[in-house]
Amino acid sequence: MDGNYNDENPIILDYNTEREKLAMPEYGRNVLKMVEDVKKIEDRAKRSEQARAVVRVMEILNPQVHSADNWEQKLWDHLYIMAGYDLDVDSPYPMPSPEQRKSRPEIIPLKKKPIKATHYGRNIESIIDLIASEPEGEMKTAMIRSLAMYMRQQYLIWNKDSVADTTIFSDIEKLSEYRIKVPEGLTLSRISSDSNFSRPGMTIDFATVRKQGGQQKRMFGRKGNKR
């Protein structure tokens, strides 16, 4: 311990928690001290030169600013903020007003209707709307089958018991408000007993389904398939 320490001359520690809160903490107190020193320079040209130097230091200390649009202007805005909006220098950008920083972004209202069947997810309703608008025919039948297989998979994530094809078909018709009529004779492929369903994303590729129309025609054209 320093021999000069005694009860009459105690060491006083200066903690950051006891200091004034920084307006821009990402730059630290050393940069704030630079800004305060710049404000004390009487010559405007020298003051402006030193301000540009401080901005370069800020850019080095905060390199992630480059990912933002108009990042150079943001650095100058930060400089003005640290200076308490009291800095007269030649800047390539106008000084922002304190009101701009205090103003909050306008809240964009989200228009979300309740999900009719939560175990299928919200995207299912959009897909059903798409299929309902399709003309009747082989392509629509193929799209219904792809949707039904996906819905069965989603169903089994939340309900581990098996589910009948008729249950899925009934849900499709109900969710579509009966705009979709599942074709007679449509069946789904069997599920392996060791299938393990984890929550997937929406994987229905209707473009591929359309290309496979000939195959679907042969599949659904067989007589005798009962739902």
Side-chain angles (χ1 to χ4, degrees):
M1 183 180 294
D2 191 341
N4 294 328
Y5 172 79
N6 53 55
D7 292 339
E8 296 181 357
N9 298 293
I11 297 176
I12 300 176
L13 301 178
D14 187 12
Y15 294 100
N16 282 338
T17 54
E18 298 176 354
R19 297 180 180 181
E20 182 181 356
K21 186 177 179 180
L22 293 174
M24 303 297 297
E26 56 265 44
Y27 298 109
R29 295 190 181 277
N30 287 333
V31 174
L32 176 61
K33 180 65 168 57
M34 293 179 189
V35 175
E36 292 174 348
D37 290 341
V38 169
K39 292 173 63 175
K40 297 176 183 178
I41 300 175
E42 296 183 359
D43 184 85
R44 180 184 174 86
K46 291 182 179 180
R47 189 167 60 246
S48 299
E49 180 182 356
Q50 290 303 308
R52 289 190 290 271
V54 172
V55 169
R56 287 194 293 271
V57 172
M58 292 165 59
E59 179 184 355
I60 295 173
L61 294 176
N62 188 20
Q64 58 267 28
V65 74
H66 291 108
S67 61
D69 294 333
N70 302 323
W71 60 269
E72 189 175 9
Q73 182 175 359
K74 290 183 181 297
L75 288 173
W76 280 94
D77 288 349
H78 294 170
L79 175 68
Y80 283 119
I81 291 170
M82 286 189 288
Y85 302 94
D86 180 24
L87 182 62
D88 182 20
V89 294
D90 294 324
S91 166
Y93 306 99
M95 181 173 64
S97 64
E99 289 74 20
Q100 288 177 312
R101 191 174 184 220
K102 293 179 181 178
S103 62
R104 294 183 178 181
E106 182 179 353
I107 298 177
I108 301 176
L110 299 178
K111 297 181 180 179
K112 286 189 176 181
K113 59 182 180 179
I115 301 177
K116 296 178 182 178
T118 55
H119 53 288
Y120 292 132
R122 185 179 298 276
N123 288 336
I124 286 294
E125 297 178 25
S126 299
I127 297 299
I128 286 176
D129 289 339
L130 185 151
I131 295 176
S133 64
E134 287 285 316
E136 297 297 331
E138 300 166 2
M139 294 303 102
K140 185 171 185 177
T141 299
M143 293 169 73
I144 292 173
R145 185 175 186 275
S146 295
L147 173 63
M149 293 179 66
Y150 175 81
M151 289 175 61
R152 182 178 64 179
Q153 186 177 3
Q154 289 292 91
Y155 187 100
L156 293 175
I157 292 172
W158 305 107
N159 304 277
K160 296 303 182 182
D161 296 333
S162 61
V163 56
D165 292 357
T166 53
T167 300
I168 301 299
F169 296 153
S170 176
D171 286 348
I172 290 176
E173 293 181 349
K174 289 178 181 178
L175 289 172
S176 71
E177 297 178 349
Y178 299 96
R179 291 175 296 160
I180 295 177
K181 176 65 177 176
V182 178
E184 292 290 338
L186 182 62
T187 59
L188 305 181
S189 59
R190 294 183 177 274
I191 299 177
S192 173
S193 59
D194 60 352
S195 296
N196 181 23
F197 293 108
S198 59
R199 188 167 190 175
M202 177 63 76
T203 57
I204 302 174
D205 185 355
F206 288 134
T208 301
V209 171
R210 287 190 175 95
K211 293 179 181 179
Q212 296 173 343
Q215 298 176 6
Q216 299 293 346
K217 180 179 180 181
R218 290 191 295 273
M219 182 180 298
F220 300 129
R222 296 174 182 172
K223 296 181 179 180
N225 290 336
K226 301 295 184 180
R227 192 189 308 177

